[in-house]
Amino acid sequence: IDQAAFQWLGPFDPKQSPILVVSFECAHCLDLLEQTLKHPKLGSLKGPKIFVYAQPNNSADTIALLAAILSAPGTPQEQFAAVFSQLDMLRDPLLMHDSKELRNRLDAIFPKYTEKLAAARQQFNVQVVALKYIPGKGSPYLLMPDGTSKYGVVPTDLLFH
């Protein structure tokens, strides 16, 4: 499942990195991801293997945000940072499931995001399959390499040497 994981918070260690499951429909998850941008060690430490969960009927918004991330230039960390630094403009449409407004805002900020929709959908579909092998329901969910897990995830749980 490692090949399906996103490396938005830094490269991960196949044996030592935890698995983080988040949803773009979850206020706590959005806050958690946004807070990692303010962490002074972001990019210099190992990060978790990130998986994005969405209810099937709400996956279009998740795919649109993934497309925005893919459309930003740079490394996976830079792409993630480019989109999540704009989260204040995207939070309400994401949490209110206002797909039309989300697309309007993405179009204004990341005009090339629509070119990445097919690639984002493909990555999302691969993650859906991988998530079947990860225990736990809900988000944010952190599964440690030793098999322990928790839901009350904070930014310091995500970055390590």
Side-chain angles (χ1 to χ4, degrees):
I1 63 173
D2 286 1
Q3 283 137 3
F6 294 115
Q7 298 186 45
W8 294 332
L9 304 183
F12 57 76
D13 181 296
K15 294 192 183 334
Q16 297 296 320
S17 290
I19 291 172
L20 175 66
V21 179
V22 293
S23 168
F24 295 153
E25 303 162 24
C26 156
H28 181 68
C29 295
L30 293 176
D31 290 344
L32 175 68
L33 291 170
E34 185 180 36
Q35 288 169 20
T36 63
L37 294 179
K38 298 174 177 118
H39 196 284
K41 305 235 182 201
L42 179 65
S44 64
L45 300 176
K46 298 284 185 196
K49 303 168 188 177
I50 302 173
F51 292 86
V52 178
Y53 170 79
Q55 296 287 343
N57 56 331
N58 291 331
S59 63
D61 289 351
T62 295
I63 291 167
L65 197 63
L66 289 173
I69 292 169
L70 291 174
S71 75
T75 67
Q77 295 85 18
E78 292 165 339
Q79 292 174 313
F80 166 79
V83 173
F84 271 76
S85 66
Q86 301 293 324
L87 191 59
D88 285 345
M89 290 189 61
L90 305 172
R91 182 185 315 276
D92 285 345
L94 278 167
L95 296 177
M96 306 284 239
H97 307 292
D98 187 345
S99 299
K100 183 178 180 192
E101 184 59 25
L102 177 65
R103 279 160 188 66
N104 286 341
R105 292 181 186 192
L106 287 174
D107 220 19
I109 305 168
F110 304 101
K112 295 187 177 205
Y113 92 96
T114 55
E115 296 171 14
K116 298 294 184 177
L117 283 169
R121 184 172 293 107
Q122 183 178 12
Q123 284 190 344
F124 178 77
N125 290 340
V126 168
Q127 288 218 329
V128 167
V129 172
L131 281 167
K132 293 177 182 177
Y133 299 96
I134 298 171
K137 301 286 179 219
S139 59
Y141 174 73
L142 190 67
L143 177 64
M144 301 304 291
D146 66 4
T148 60
S149 62
K150 68 181 195 174
Y151 289 95
V153 184
V154 296
T156 53
D157 292 333
L158 305 179
L159 303 170
F160 63 97
H161 295 283

